[in-house]
Amino acid sequence: MAPIAGKYQHVENVKFFELMKKAGYPEDKASAADKTRAVVTLTIDGDKVTTKVEEVGDVVENHFVLGQESDEKHPGGFVSKTTITKEGDGLKFVSKESGGKFLTRLYKFTDAGFEVVLNFEGFEAKRIYKRL
């Protein structure tokens, strides 16, 4: 089983721009999000998970308890109601977006990094990160 905790660099997207557009983001914001190369730090201590996302000029840190809904802040100031659960060797984030729609992010970890499979209304995209 690959460790979850660590520091990661975003390296690639697959259909992420399209997912952002489908989720209702304006084209300029979807394009900007698609081009970012964030550094993500994950820590896990028992049932507590902390995420820290560093993008150009913006650092967002969130604290979660597995199985409990929390306010999740995103770069750019957007906030969603998110619940994290363990799923196999990974983490599953389920976020309630505006309009009552849901975005699911399944984090799959390897020794080299992690892949996030995002699903919004049946449309899938991926974000790939390498372990630093």
PDB file of all heavy atoms in Angstrom, residues 5 7 26 81 84 102 131:
ATOM      1  N   ALA A   5       0.159  10.313   2.892  1.00  0.00           N
ATOM      2  CA  ALA A   5       0.780  11.575   3.302  1.00  0.00           C
ATOM      3  C   ALA A   5       1.974  11.902   2.420  1.00  0.00           C
ATOM      4  O   ALA A   5       2.727  11.021   2.010  1.00  0.00           O
ATOM      5  CB  ALA A   5       1.211  11.486   4.764  1.00  0.00           C
ATOM      6  N   LYS A   7       4.009  15.354  -0.126  1.00  0.00           N
ATOM      7  CA  LYS A   7       3.936  16.596  -0.899  1.00  0.00           C
ATOM      8  C   LYS A   7       3.992  16.201  -2.365  1.00  0.00           C
ATOM      9  O   LYS A   7       4.832  15.380  -2.763  1.00  0.00           O
ATOM     10  CB  LYS A   7       5.101  17.512  -0.533  1.00  0.00           C
ATOM     11  CG  LYS A   7       4.978  18.905  -1.067  1.00  0.00           C
ATOM     12  CD  LYS A   7       6.054  19.809  -0.446  1.00  0.00           C
ATOM     13  CE  LYS A   7       5.804  21.252  -0.814  1.00  0.00           C
ATOM     14  NZ  LYS A   7       6.721  22.147  -0.106  1.00  0.00           N
ATOM     15  N   PRO A  26     -16.896  29.764 -15.923  1.00  0.00           N
ATOM     16  CA  PRO A  26     -16.673  30.522 -17.151  1.00  0.00           C
ATOM     17  C   PRO A  26     -15.396  30.027 -17.839  1.00  0.00           C
ATOM     18  O   PRO A  26     -14.481  29.526 -17.187  1.00  0.00           O
ATOM     19  CB  PRO A  26     -16.486  31.968 -16.672  1.00  0.00           C
ATOM     20  CG  PRO A  26     -17.007  32.005 -15.282  1.00  0.00           C
ATOM     21  CD  PRO A  26     -16.892  30.614 -14.736  1.00  0.00           C
ATOM     22  N   LYS A  81     -19.322  22.096   0.344  1.00  0.00           N
ATOM     23  CA  LYS A  81     -19.535  21.181   1.466  1.00  0.00           C
ATOM     24  C   LYS A  81     -18.977  19.829   1.043  1.00  0.00           C
ATOM     25  O   LYS A  81     -19.455  19.224   0.084  1.00  0.00           O
ATOM     26  CB  LYS A  81     -21.025  21.047   1.795  1.00  0.00           C
ATOM     27  CG  LYS A  81     -21.680  22.333   2.233  1.00  0.00           C
ATOM     28  CD  LYS A  81     -21.266  22.678   3.633  1.00  0.00           C
ATOM     29  CE  LYS A  81     -22.069  23.862   4.153  1.00  0.00           C
ATOM     30  NZ  LYS A  81     -21.600  24.312   5.427  1.00  0.00           N
ATOM     31  N   ILE A  84     -15.069  13.447   3.245  1.00  0.00           N
ATOM     32  CA  ILE A  84     -13.990  12.543   2.816  1.00  0.00           C
ATOM     33  C   ILE A  84     -14.185  11.194   3.512  1.00  0.00           C
ATOM     34  O   ILE A  84     -14.471  11.140   4.708  1.00  0.00           O
ATOM     35  CB  ILE A  84     -12.604  13.092   3.200  1.00  0.00           C
ATOM     36  CG1 ILE A  84     -12.331  14.418   2.519  1.00  0.00           C
ATOM     37  CG2 ILE A  84     -11.514  12.089   2.821  1.00  0.00           C
ATOM     38  CD1 ILE A  84     -10.985  15.017   2.908  1.00  0.00           C
ATOM     39  N   PHE A 102     -23.282  17.216  -7.381  1.00  0.00           N
ATOM     40  CA  PHE A 102     -22.147  16.647  -6.654  1.00  0.00           C
ATOM     41  C   PHE A 102     -20.947  16.434  -7.561  1.00  0.00           C
ATOM     42  O   PHE A 102     -21.083  16.011  -8.701  1.00  0.00           O
ATOM     43  CB  PHE A 102     -22.533  15.308  -6.015  1.00  0.00           C
ATOM     44  CG  PHE A 102     -23.499  15.456  -4.886  1.00  0.00           C
ATOM     45  CD1 PHE A 102     -24.869  15.445  -5.129  1.00  0.00           C
ATOM     46  CD2 PHE A 102     -23.049  15.627  -3.586  1.00  0.00           C
ATOM     47  CE1 PHE A 102     -25.764  15.606  -4.079  1.00  0.00           C
ATOM     48  CE2 PHE A 102     -23.937  15.783  -2.545  1.00  0.00           C
ATOM     49  CZ  PHE A 102     -25.303  15.771  -2.794  1.00  0.00           C
ATOM     50  N   ARG A 131       4.957  12.591  -6.679  1.00  0.00           N
ATOM     51  CA  ARG A 131       5.428  12.758  -5.305  1.00  0.00           C
ATOM     52  C   ARG A 131       6.752  13.516  -5.316  1.00  0.00           C
ATOM     53  O   ARG A 131       7.636  13.238  -6.118  1.00  0.00           O
ATOM     54  CB  ARG A 131       5.614  11.395  -4.638  1.00  0.00           C
ATOM     55  CG  ARG A 131       5.867  11.441  -3.157  1.00  0.00           C
ATOM     56  CD  ARG A 131       5.990  10.036  -2.560  1.00  0.00           C
ATOM     57  NE  ARG A 131       4.774   9.256  -2.682  1.00  0.00           N
ATOM     58  CZ  ARG A 131       3.772   9.281  -1.806  1.00  0.00           C
ATOM     59  NH1 ARG A 131       3.841  10.066  -0.751  1.00  0.00           N
ATOM     60  NH2 ARG A 131       2.719   8.520  -1.973  1.00  0.00           N
TER      61      ARG A 131
END
